[in-house]
């Protein structure tokens, strides 16, 4: 009986495994008149996805970002965002479902929350404050 309790405690205290994010992979776009936003995500390998994004209009690219999602030291996924090629900022996974993942960094000025989810064939992305304030969202379709 004692070994059962030890095993149960080990399972409860074990860190969450990195989420399966294969549903994010591919190249995605949102086009609204002359403005466009694109994100491309690799297939997961060893729990890691690499991503890049850019946004612009008829005149050219206005912004870009390099992204990575990888297991942290404890096995929980971390989203690393580097807008404009700057220093990467970590956002730790706080929840995940079959086709949704949410990351937060309460110490970052804005955003503090990054959320991705699938709705049918669309990939949605949203950044916001931790309590959902000042949301900015994108609804991508596959390119």
């Amino acid at each position: 009986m004692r070994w059962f309790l030890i095993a149960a405690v080990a399972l409860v205290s074990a860190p969450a495994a990195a989420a399966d994010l294969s549903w994010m992979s591919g190249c995605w776009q949102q086009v609204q008149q002359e403005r466009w936003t694109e994100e491309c995500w690799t297939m997961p390998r060893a729990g890691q996805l690499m991503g890049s994004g850019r946004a612009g209009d008829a005149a050219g690219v206005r912004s870009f970002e390099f992204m990575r999602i990888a297991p942290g030291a404890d096995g929980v996924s971390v989203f690393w965002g580097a807008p404009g090629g700057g220093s990467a900022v970590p956002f730790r996974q706080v929840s995940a479902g079959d086709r949704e993942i949410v990351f937060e960094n309460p110490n970052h000025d804005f955003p503090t929350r990054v959320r991705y989810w699938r709705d049918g064939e669309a990939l949605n992305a949203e950044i916001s404050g931790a309590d959902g304030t000042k949301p900015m969202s994108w609804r991508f379709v596959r390119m």
Side-chain angles (χ1 to χ4, degrees), residues 106-127:
N107 299 317
H108 192 251
D109 56 352
F110 186 86
T112 53
R113 179 182 292 162
V114 177
R115 177 182 175 220
Y116 282 93
W117 73 100
R118 286 287 297 272
D119 179 16
E121 294 301 311
L123 175 68
N124 296 283
E126 180 179 80
I127 60 173

Side-chain angles (χ1 to χ4, degrees), residues 17-26 28 40-51 67-71 75-80 91-103 114-118 123-124 142:
D20 173 13
L21 300 177
S22 57
W23 52 267
M24 285 179 62
S25 64
W28 305 87
C40 289
W41 289 96
T42 63
M43 285 295 292
R45 287 245 190 240
Q48 178 173 273
L49 284 81
M50 302 296 291
M67 301 166 287
R68 179 171 62 104
I69 299 173
V76 176
S77 293
V78 177
F79 172 94
W80 294 87
F91 294 80
R92 181 179 163 78
Q93 173 189 324
V94 294
S95 68
D98 289 339
R99 293 167 52 115
E100 177 183 32
I101 190 159
V102 180
F103 304 94
V114 177
R115 177 182 175 220
Y116 282 93
W117 73 100
R118 286 287 297 272
L123 175 68
N124 296 283
R142 219 174 262 286

